[in-house]
Amino acid sequence: MSVLVTGGAGYIGSHTAVELLNQGRDIVIIDDFSNSKPEVLENIRKITGKDFKFYQIDYSDRKALENVFEENNIDSVINFAGFKAVGESTKKPIEYYINNVSGALVLFDTMRKYNVKKFVFSSSATVYGEKNPIPYVETMETGKASSPYGSTKVFIEQILEDIYKSDNEWDIALLRYFNPIGSHESGLLGEEPQGIPNNLMPYIVRVACGQLKELSVFGGDYDTPDGTCIRDYIHVVDLAKGHIKALEKLEKERSGIFTYNLGTGVGYSVLDVVKTFEKSTGQKVAYKIADRRAGDLPAFYANATKAKEELGWIPEKTLEDMCRDSWHYIEMRSKS
Ligand code: WQD
């Protein structure tokens, strides 16, 4: 029996593939390399000493996907395929809806055809929208997301609710990620956005290594202790382990649809991250306070109780670990 990991060469997918292999599971990875590189697969093998089957396909290519189900004994799917750049999604909504929503539908339809009904979905804290109070709790109404990217997550969650209502043989976990950063401690896997990064940690590491001049801290006049925005940063390896726990839950349950926040429950400001990065890596991060970025919420973080109580998932890595590991990956890349 194998776990199908879609988008398994990507940032979170590759870290989850490592944890699945470390558990002794058989996995099959599909990825179209639209935002990842083939060498990631080699690095997954290097870290784990284990092999797996790989198909370079687009997950919305129905024929190619059916072939994967034909050739393997798949009994669950973890879906990381999809576009994820918030800013880009506002410029290319059609591409985002086609790839994320239509692609997911092809995947669900194919799963149904092959009677595979265990599914773990990478959702996002962005589904809580702008109106909910913090900390976010799973029982809150999901809101109107602030970008097409966020809307794809809201829509797919809704689609999965409807699928479960129509056929409760499905076992579904909706995992709402907060802000994943960090990388595998080996330095072999990490996050490498193309072009100028939009997210905080990829930007910080590029300033630290001299590729970018300075970080613009978006807004210094928010109603927060130091005036900068607060987020719940979660180490990608802890996040990956959350997927394993969720999959185990689905394997134990007879059926259900379950939603979990995957965050630490602790908020840090942008300046907390900058200072912790400098302290834990010894690298200087030049920054200036700039205008607020449109669409940013002042502060949000998870109520992380449910995942802890129901899954036994407790994030272990500190903000120092997240900063150090993010930097280690870049150091290793510059040496290779
Ligand atoms: C974090 C903080 C910025 C860059 C988004 C998505 C979310 C998830 C993660 C995933 C904010 C500040 C950032 C910079 C800065 N997406 N910042 N200068 O916006 O919280 O969440 O990414 O696939 O769904 O919404 O993350 O890393 O962009 O920003 O000051 O150059 O850092 O204002 O407060 P965000 P982020």
Side-chain angles (χ1 to χ4, degrees):
M1 294 304 229
S2 302
V3 183
L4 174 64
V5 184
T6 73
Y11 174 47
I12 302 171
S14 59
H15 286 86
T16 304
V18 165
E19 297 305 321
L20 288 163
L21 290 165
N22 281 345
Q23 255 204 334
R25 289 179 185 263
D26 284 330
I27 67 168
V28 175
I29 292 183
I30 64 171
D31 203 297
D32 64 358
F33 296 133
S34 57
N35 192 24
S36 59
K37 297 204 176 108
E39 67 194 57
V40 169
L41 303 174
E42 264 331 294
N43 287 339
I44 295 171
R45 292 187 177 104
K46 228 185 254 173
I47 291 168
T48 60
K50 308 239 171 80
D51 202 5
F52 51 86
K53 257 172 122 174
F54 171 73
Y55 296 80
Q56 184 178 350
I57 62 162
D58 178 340
Y59 81 135
S60 63
D61 178 341
R62 187 182 292 265
K63 263 203 142 148
L65 190 61
E66 285 188 358
N67 179 51
V68 174
F69 281 81
E70 285 290 342
E71 289 187 356
N72 299 281
N73 196 359
I74 289 164
D75 74 337
S76 56
V77 178
I78 309 184
N79 181 29
F80 300 100
F83 295 153
K84 60 166 191 177
V86 175
E88 184 185 60
S89 78
T90 62
K91 297 191 180 82
K92 296 182 170 176
I94 296 177
E95 282 82 355
Y96 270 69
Y97 289 120
I98 289 178
N99 190 43
N100 291 12
V101 182
S102 305
L105 283 167
V106 171
L107 176 62
F108 303 154
D109 199 17
T110 309
M111 288 177 67
R112 177 177 58 173
K113 179 167 174 184
Y114 289 89
N115 203 31
V116 176
K117 292 181 175 174
K118 285 188 190 13
F119 185 67
V120 178
F121 178 58
S122 51
S123 190
S124 165
T126 186
V127 303
Y128 289 108
E130 293 172 10
K131 301 262 154 64
N132 280 309
I134 47 173
Y136 294 153
V137 186
E138 291 86 344
T139 47
M140 287 171 172
E141 282 276 311
T142 54
K144 196 174 155 12
S146 54
S147 69
Y149 159 77
S151 297
T152 67
K153 299 294 178 189
V154 174
F155 295 160
I156 297 168
E157 284 201 2
Q158 181 63 56
I159 290 167
L160 288 165
E161 296 275 355
D162 292 339
I163 290 174
Y164 179 70
K165 269 186 221 152
S166 74
D167 174 2
N168 57 25
E169 281 182 5
W170 282 75
D171 295 294
I172 299 167
L174 309 176
L175 304 183
R176 294 179 178 160
Y177 308 162
F178 282 68
N179 285 57
I181 57 172
S183 41
H184 193 265
E185 62 183 7
S186 63
L188 291 171
L189 299 177
E191 189 177 19
E192 223 170 328
Q194 283 151 14
I196 295 179
N198 297 306
N199 297 116
L200 181 62
M201 186 55 81
Y203 207 104
I204 287 179
V205 292
R206 294 228 196 152
V207 172
C209 70
Q211 283 177 19
L212 291 169
K213 196 173 132 245
E214 64 185 358
L215 170 74
S216 291
V217 174
F218 297 138
D221 56 354
Y222 285 101
D223 186 14
T224 59
D226 67 14
T228 68
C229 290
I230 290 175
R231 295 289 180 272
D232 183 339
Y233 296 94
I234 173 82
H235 196 293
V236 66
V237 171
D238 279 328
L239 191 69
K241 289 180 177 164
H243 293 73
I244 309 290
K245 295 279 190 189
L247 187 60
E248 285 171 353
K249 161 108 180 160
L250 299 188
E251 288 166 346
K252 269 187 238 133
E253 296 290 326
R254 213 181 55 79
S255 88
I257 180 160
F258 310 94
T259 306
Y260 296 104
N261 286 339
L262 295 186
T264 63
V266 180
Y268 288 104
S269 75
V270 177
L271 292 181
D272 287 335
V273 178
V274 170
K275 284 176 194 145
T276 307
F277 185 92
E278 289 185 329
K279 207 168 128 219
S280 58
T281 66
Q283 302 297 315
K284 192 97 197 88
V285 179
Y287 73 88
K288 64 163 189 226
I289 303 291
D291 288 345
R292 293 180 176 195
R293 180 171 70 176
D296 272 343
L297 293 174
F300 65 83
Y301 47 90
N303 174 322
T305 316
K306 191 177 173 206
K308 184 175 167 191
E309 285 176 357
E310 291 188 14
L311 301 178
W313 178 74
I314 301 164
E316 286 166 356
K317 310 259 188 188
T318 63
L319 186 60
E320 282 80 10
D321 297 330
M322 302 182 212
C323 293
R324 205 192 41 243
D325 291 343
S326 295
W327 176 242
H328 181 46
Y329 175 67
I330 296 299
E331 275 187 309
M332 293 278 286
R333 302 287 298 167
S334 60
K335 281 182 204 144
S336 65

